[in-house]
Amino acid sequence: GKLKAHSVYIVFTSGGNSIGSEKDFATPYVTFLWQTLGIKHVQYIEASGLLFNAEENTRNAEIQIDNLVLPVFAW
């Protein structure tokens, strides 16, 4: 069966390939998989480059998380 959730948030790390770069094969594939399971909204939080500039890139990921507009669910 399909999942009942409508959104998924993924923290994405890599060895330096940014989301949407020409070498980024992972995010389109993962998005396709989630959408196949019924998730309509797949959002990525980029945390790449932690090996070289950990403090700045971690802070950038934290800012992305702080700026998320999360859906409100009524039960």
Side-chain angles (χ1 to χ4, degrees):
K2 294 201 173 219
L3 299 174
K4 296 188 187 280
H6 296 284
S7 300
V8 65
Y9 300 89
I10 300 168
V11 177
F12 180 82
T13 64
S14 72
N17 296 328
S18 297
I19 293 174
S21 73
E22 116 183 2
K23 294 182 180 182
D24 174 24
F25 68 91
T27 57
Y29 180 71
V30 171
T31 299
F32 170 77
L33 290 176
W34 280 109
Q35 289 175 344
T36 300
L37 294 172
I39 302 296
K40 295 177 179 128
H41 180 259
V42 180
Q43 185 168 341
Y44 294 93
I45 298 158
E46 186 159 10
S48 298
L50 298 179
L51 180 62
F52 303 108
N53 198 355
E55 286 184 37
E56 181 179 344
N57 291 329
T58 300
R59 183 66 195 131
N60 288 337
E62 290 171 347
I63 290 169
Q64 292 174 64
I65 292 168
D66 290 341
N67 291 328
L68 286 176
V69 177
L70 300 176
V72 176
F73 297 102
W75 303 103

